[in-house]
Structures are given as structure tokens and as C-alpha cells.
């Protein structure tokens, strides 16, 4: 009986810790989304290529933000795109809710080690429009120097 109670206690503790982490991640998501909504100043210089591509769907567009061709090593990338999504819509995000990290390394791809050729954020909007992008990354594996960029990408 004591083992059963101990097991249930440990299980409840694990569930509570997991919910706390998810709440923290969702809070961070909301903060980044709100920062992007209100952002007025955007970075013009960044060490990678970023593209915005639109594909027409029935009554709306799917947009794809592609980040690739890094000029420096980028570790533990987190990115979020905002195209005036409502509070009921989820913005495309990578690296926040994922279990595995995303890295970009110049001229190196190894998916087993989480190094990719590029990353993509996809969402939907009513018309072609400018998309605001938040991206953060570390420039070293030890995570001692973090870079944060706010970028505004216009349709071509």
C-alpha cells in the first residue's frame, strides 16, 4: 500500500512539473507574440538568408518563412512568425515547444545531431502582407552568447 501511494505521489509530481514547463513555454510564446505585434524597430543586418513565400489556397494564402544559408554557427534556434494572426490563431513557432533543438551551421547538415540546412515557419493569412519574425539563437554550443533579432519580411 505504501509503495502504491509513493508511486502515485511521484507520478503526480511529474505531471505537475510537466504542466509548469508547458505553462512557462506558453507564457514565453505569448510574450514573444505580443513583442512582435508592437515591434516598430527591426534589424536590417543578420547572418542568414530569410525569405517569405506565399502560396494561394482557396480563400487565403499560406506563407512560408525560410531561414537558411547561415554565415555563422547558430545553436538552439527559436523563431516565431507573426502575420497579424488573431488571438484565436496560433502563430508558427519553432524551437519553443519542441523537444529537440534546431541548429544551423555553415556548410554542414546532420539531422541526427539536429543540424539542418534551414528552418521553415508556415502560417495562413487572408492576403499577402509583411510578416514579422522573432529569432533567437546562441553563437556558441555552451550557450554563453545569445542573439535576438526582430525582422520584418515583405512580400516580393
Amino acid at each position: 500500500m505504501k509503495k502504491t501511494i509513493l508511486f502515485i505521489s511521484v507520478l503526480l509530481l511529474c505531471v505537475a512539473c510537466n504542466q509548469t514547463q508547458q505553462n512557462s513555454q506558453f507564457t514565453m510564446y505569448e510574450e514573444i507574440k505580443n513583442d512582435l505585434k508592437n515591434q516598430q524597430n527591426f534589424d536590417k543586418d543578420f547572418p542568414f538568408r530569410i525569405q517569405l513565400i506565399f502560396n494561394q489556397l482557396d480563400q487565403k494564402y499560406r506563407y512560408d518563412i525560410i531561414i537558411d544559408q547561415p554565415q555563422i554557427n547558430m545553436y538552439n534556434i527559436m523563431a516565431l512568425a507573426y502575420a497579424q494572426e488573431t488571438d484565436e490563431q496560433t502563430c508558427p513557432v519553432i524551437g519553443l515547444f519542441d523537444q529537440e533543438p534546431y541548429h544551423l551551421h555553415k556548410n554542414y547538415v546532420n539531422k541526427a545531431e539536429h543540424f539542418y540546412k534551414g528552418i521553415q515557419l508556415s502560417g495562413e493569412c487572408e492576403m499577402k502582407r509583411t510578416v514579422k519574425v522573432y529569432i533567437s539563437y546562441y553563437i556558441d554550443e555552451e550557450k554563453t552568447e545569445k542573439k535576438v533579432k526582430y525582422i520584418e519580411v515583405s512580400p516580393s
Side-chain angles (χ1 to χ4, degrees):
M1 181 72 170
K2 287 182 181 180
K3 288 182 182 181
T4 304
I5 292 173
L6 180 63
F7 176 73
I8 291 173
S9 298
V10 169
L11 184 62
L12 289 174
L13 182 62
C14 290
V15 169
C17 290
N18 193 26
Q19 287 177 341
T20 301
Q21 181 182 8
Q22 288 175 344
N23 288 342
S24 171
Q25 291 169 329
F26 187 73
T27 299
M28 182 181 278
Y29 165 85
E30 287 294 324
E31 288 173 1
I32 293 169
K33 183 178 177 181
N34 288 333
D35 285 349
L36 274 177
K37 278 184 185 180
N38 301 319
Q39 191 68 29
Q40 299 295 319
N41 300 318
F42 296 95
D43 294 289
K44 302 291 184 204
D45 186 32
F46 31 87
F48 48 84
R49 179 176 72 168
I50 187 165
Q51 296 177 292
L52 172 59
I53 299 169
F54 284 97
N55 291 296
Q56 181 138 18
L57 303 174
D58 290 333
Q59 299 293 319
K60 51 181 122 180
Y61 290 91
R62 185 187 82 222
Y63 66 88
D64 297 302
I65 294 286
I66 301 169
I67 301 168
D68 62 1
Q69 297 183 7
Q71 299 304 307
I72 62 168
N73 297 336
M74 301 168 65
Y75 299 95
N76 294 84
I77 298 167
M78 185 187 324
L80 186 139
Y82 174 71
Q84 297 184 6
E85 283 87 353
T86 65
D87 288 337
E88 290 78 38
Q89 295 173 301
T90 303
C91 295
V93 62
I94 194 166
L96 179 59
F97 299 107
D98 304 296
Q99 298 297 321
E100 302 296 331
Y102 293 89
H103 312 302
L104 296 179
H105 203 278
K106 187 175 181 179
N107 300 320
Y108 181 73
V109 175
N110 185 333
K111 291 179 184 178
E113 295 179 357
H114 313 290
F115 288 94
Y116 298 92
K117 184 175 183 177
I119 58 174
Q120 178 176 331
L121 300 163
S122 298
E124 292 182 0
C125 57
E126 300 299 320
M127 65 174 106
K128 291 183 180 181
R129 63 171 18 115
T130 298
V131 178
K132 296 178 178 182
V133 179
Y134 164 92
I135 182 167
S136 69
Y137 55 91
Y138 292 92
I139 62 171
D140 59 340
E141 287 183 82
E142 295 78 25
K143 299 181 186 179
T144 60
E145 190 172 343
K146 184 177 184 177
K147 300 289 183 179
V148 175
K149 303 285 183 180
Y150 290 93
I151 304 167
E152 191 171 50
V153 188
S154 299
S156 21

